[in-house]
């Protein structure tokens, strides 16, 4: 009997050389490229023959990509942490993941199934996390309100904005070949300076009752800047970035934060007033954001990521399971495919999975969980290698699997 199997570009790579390629060290965001699907072709081969040939090609691709890993939508060179934009590298990684998932699907893992367990996901909203955990409407409302009260504090809000801008700046520094990169960099630096210069609260060297408002009104600044000015800077920055298709991720992130800025556009941004005024400004910002940011808000989720990890990049994983229930426990797992089993790459994979699991654990505990079942969270790593083991990291069990023919 002959079977019809569809795996994009496999036969193409089976017939090509495995000579390592030299990747350009130029920055771009490749999430769109990584998720782009090629037209599928039908190949009729018997399963035993296909697996033997595919495994041989998987080893070759692993050798080509031995210093390359996929982190949150980007290809990263592990030796120098630069982002790879080479089209061949992107295509090789896409093929590697496709073939690897074909082997992973043959393994028996309780919370993974062929119907929904091998999809790649990018966590970018509370609603997505709530759906994957099957939270009730009441629980979702409780989670939203509780998280908003924590992540909309002034230091979290301003810190998130600065981190988003610094993330753009880091990437712009690697795009000197682009015509408008200097303009984008200038706008980013200006906005960072503006936020930094207006962030200082009154000195805490004296008790709050000793910090009185100025008696003479003329001593106050003539102009009180508002958050609306940050919106204007964001709009100019987004216009420049929109011209660069390689910066699409940052454009999405800036649009998300602009959603939050629109809610507080009429609030004074300076915090060098007396303690009472600064406290009132902070409370007003928190109240407006809490009132208007919903569960689908990417701004809210970005604030949560910064609150939990100090980073703002959305988290992407190659394998995401469904919530698996039994009489006593519920299990949820996520997974990642590695191109090598070297220590650094394994550790990076463990850290990424722990971030994902950390989000699910935080939301689950905030929702109160369930009274009758305990939630178990597991991470899975797959690679070409000879060792299988359980890695314990930050309270999570990460299982390292070997991909076998």
């Amino acid at each position: 009997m002959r079977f019809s199997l569809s795996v994009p570009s496999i036969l193409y790579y089976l017939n090509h050389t495995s000579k390592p390629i030299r990747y350009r060290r130029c920055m771009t965001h490749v999430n769109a490229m990584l998720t782009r699907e090629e037209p599928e072709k039908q190949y009729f081969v018997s399963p035993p023959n296909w697996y033997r040939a595919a495994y041989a090609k998987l080893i070759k691709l692993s050798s080509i990509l031995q210093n390359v890993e996929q982190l949150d939508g980007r290809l990263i060179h592990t030796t120098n942490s630069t982002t790879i934009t080479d089209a061949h590298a992107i295509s090789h990684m896409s093929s590697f993941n496709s073939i690897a998932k074909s082997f992973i699907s043959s393994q028996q893992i309780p919370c993974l199934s062929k119907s929904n367990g091998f999809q790649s996901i990018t966590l970018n909203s509370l609603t997505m996390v709530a759906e994957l955990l099957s939270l009730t409407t009441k629980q979702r409302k409780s989670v939203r309100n509780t998280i908003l009260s924590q992540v909309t504090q002034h230091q979290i809000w301003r810190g998130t904005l600065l981190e988003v801008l610094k993330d753009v700046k880091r990437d712009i520094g690697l795009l000197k070949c682009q015509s408008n990169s200097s303009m984008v960099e200038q706008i980013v630096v200006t906005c960072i300076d503006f936020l930094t210069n207006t962030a200082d609260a009154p000195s805490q060297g004296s008790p709050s009752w000793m910090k009185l408002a100025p008696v003479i009104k003329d001593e106050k600044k003539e102009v009180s800047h508002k958050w609306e000015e940050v919106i204007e800077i964001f709009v100019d920055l987004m216009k420049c970035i929109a011209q660069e298709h390689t910066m699409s991720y940052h454009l999405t992130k800036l649009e998300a934060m602009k959603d939050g800025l629109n809610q507080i556009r009429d609030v004074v941004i300076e915090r060098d007033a007396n303690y009472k005024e600064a406290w009132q400004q902070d409370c007003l910002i928190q109240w407006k954001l809490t009132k208007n940011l919903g569960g689908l808000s990417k701004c809210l989720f970005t604030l949560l990521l910064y609150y939990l990890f100090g980073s703002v990049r959305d988290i992407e994983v190659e394998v995401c399971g469904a919530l698996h229930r039994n009489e006593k426990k519920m299990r949820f797992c996520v997974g990642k495919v590695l191109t090598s089993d070297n220590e650094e790459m394994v550790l990076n994979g463990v850290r990424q999975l722990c971030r994902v699991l950390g989000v699910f654990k935080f939301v689950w505990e905030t929702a109160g969980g369930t009274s009758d079942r305990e939630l178990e969270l597991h991470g899975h790593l797959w690679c070409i290698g000879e060792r299988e083991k359980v890695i314990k990291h930050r309270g999570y069990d990460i299982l390292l699997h070997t991909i076998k023919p």
Side-chain angles (χ1 to χ4, degrees):
M1 179 179 293
R2 304 180 74 83
F3 299 83
S4 172
L5 298 176
S6 174
V7 178
S9 304
I10 289 179
L11 292 188
Y12 173 84
Y13 288 103
L14 292 179
N15 296 324
H16 280 65
T17 179
S18 61
K19 182 180 179 180
I21 54 180
R22 299 180 64 182
Y23 303 128
R24 290 183 296 136
R25 297 178 182 178
C26 180
M27 177 63 212
T28 186
H29 186 264
V30 298
N31 188 52
M33 299 181 186
L34 290 174
T35 56
R36 183 177 59 196
E37 295 183 358
E38 300 178 15
E40 292 189 350
K41 297 181 181 180
Q42 298 293 326
Y43 302 106
F44 297 90
V45 293
S46 59
N49 292 337
W50 183 87
Y51 278 109
R52 283 194 293 269
Y55 188 72
K57 187 56 192 180
L58 199 63
I59 294 177
K60 292 181 181 180
L61 288 173
S62 176
S63 177
I64 296 172
L65 300 169
Q66 60 181 336
N67 294 320
V68 179
E69 60 182 332
Q70 184 174 330
L71 291 176
D72 302 333
R74 299 178 299 169
L75 292 189
I76 305 295
H77 202 291
T78 57
T79 58
N80 50 31
S81 300
T82 56
T83 301
I84 299 170
T85 64
D86 187 272
H88 294 292
I90 296 171
S91 184
H92 282 315
M93 182 62 78
S94 177
S95 293
F96 181 87
N97 286 333
S98 295
I99 301 173
K101 286 184 179 181
S102 298
F103 286 94
I104 295 171
S105 64
S106 64
Q107 299 181 5
Q108 299 297 323
I109 298 178
C111 54
L112 291 180
S113 65
K114 294 183 179 180
S115 60
N116 57 17
F118 301 97
Q119 58 177 329
S120 298
I121 65 166
T122 299
L123 292 180
N124 56 21
S125 73
L126 270 180
T127 298
M128 177 181 292
V129 177
E131 289 176 349
L132 290 170
L133 290 176
S134 301
L135 298 184
T136 64
T137 302
K138 183 178 180 180
Q139 285 177 315
R140 296 185 189 195
K141 183 177 180 180
S142 174
V143 167
R144 174 189 172 275
N145 293 336
T146 302
I147 290 179
L148 274 168
S149 66
Q150 300 176 56
V151 304
T152 55
Q153 298 177 38
H154 179 268
Q155 65 271 23
I156 302 299
W157 165 251
R158 198 177 286 251
T160 304
L161 284 173
L162 286 171
E163 187 61 28
V164 169
L165 291 168
K166 290 176 182 178
D167 203 17
V168 175
K169 184 181 178 182
R170 282 190 289 266
D171 292 355
I172 288 297
L174 300 174
L175 282 175
K176 295 298 184 181
C177 55
Q178 301 297 330
S179 59
N180 67 338
S181 61
S182 59
M183 177 64 72
V184 173
E185 188 170 7
Q186 182 179 353
I187 295 174
V188 170
V189 171
T190 299
C191 193
I192 290 176
D193 290 342
F194 181 69
L195 288 172
T196 303
N197 294 334
T198 58
D200 294 333
S203 173
Q204 298 183 8
S206 303
S208 60
W209 57 268
M210 295 180 63
K211 182 68 176 181
L212 303 177
V215 177
I216 303 176
K217 294 184 178 180
D218 292 341
E219 292 182 1
K220 291 186 176 181
K221 294 182 179 180
E222 295 182 0
V223 179
S224 294
H225 298 286
K226 297 184 178 181
W227 285 98
E228 186 174 13
E229 297 183 39
V230 180
I231 297 177
E232 294 175 357
I233 299 176
F234 266 52
V235 170
D236 292 337
L237 179 59
M238 289 162 60
K239 287 180 180 178
C240 293
I241 289 182
Q243 302 174 19
E244 304 282 353
H245 72 279
T246 57
M247 301 293 289
S248 59
Y249 170 82
H250 294 292
L251 179 61
T252 301
K253 188 61 68 174
L254 289 169
E255 289 175 342
M257 298 311 297
K258 181 173 173 286
D259 177 37
L261 287 168
N262 282 329
Q263 314 305 325
I264 61 171
R265 60 187 310 137
D266 59 340
V267 180
V268 176
I269 192 172
E270 286 100 352
R271 303 186 69 245
D272 58 353
N274 61 73
Y275 285 137
K276 183 178 180 180
E277 290 181 1
W279 176 78
Q280 289 175 340
Q281 292 172 13
D282 295 349
C283 290
L284 185 58
I285 289 175
Q286 190 171 21
W287 179 78
K288 285 179 174 287
L289 292 175
T290 301
K291 178 182 177 182
N292 295 291
L293 297 182
L296 285 171
S297 172
K298 294 182 179 181
C299 177
L300 170 56
F301 196 75
T302 303
L303 291 170
L304 176 60
L305 291 176
Y306 183 79
Y307 176 78
L308 293 176
F309 312 113
S311 62
V312 295
R313 283 192 171 270
D314 297 334
I315 308 173
E316 183 183 50
V317 291
E318 288 88 51
V319 178
C320 181
L323 193 65
H324 181 74
R325 305 170 185 265
N326 59 28
E327 294 181 357
K328 297 182 179 180
K329 296 182 179 180
M330 293 188 294
R331 294 185 177 90
F332 186 85
C333 59
V334 292
K336 179 176 177 59
V337 181
L338 304 177
T339 58
S340 171
D341 65 345
N342 70 66
E343 294 293 336
E344 182 178 0
M345 190 170 293
V346 171
L347 181 58
N348 287 340
V350 168
R351 289 170 176 166
Q352 186 178 18
L353 292 183
C354 286
R355 285 180 62 207
V356 181
L357 297 176
V359 172
F360 283 103
K361 180 180 179 180
F362 182 79
V363 172
W364 179 261
E365 292 179 347
T366 303
T370 60
S371 58
D372 59 336
R373 292 174 184 171
E374 177 186 354
L375 178 65
E376 286 187 353
L377 296 170
H378 296 286
H380 297 268
L381 293 172
W382 290 272
C383 65
I384 301 292
E386 298 181 355
R387 54 178 182 169
E388 291 194 359
K389 61 180 181 179
V390 177
I391 303 173
K392 295 185 178 296
H393 187 77
R394 295 185 179 275
Y396 301 107
D397 289 341
I398 309 297
L399 288 75
L400 181 64
H401 306 274
T402 297
I403 299 177
K404 300 177 180 179

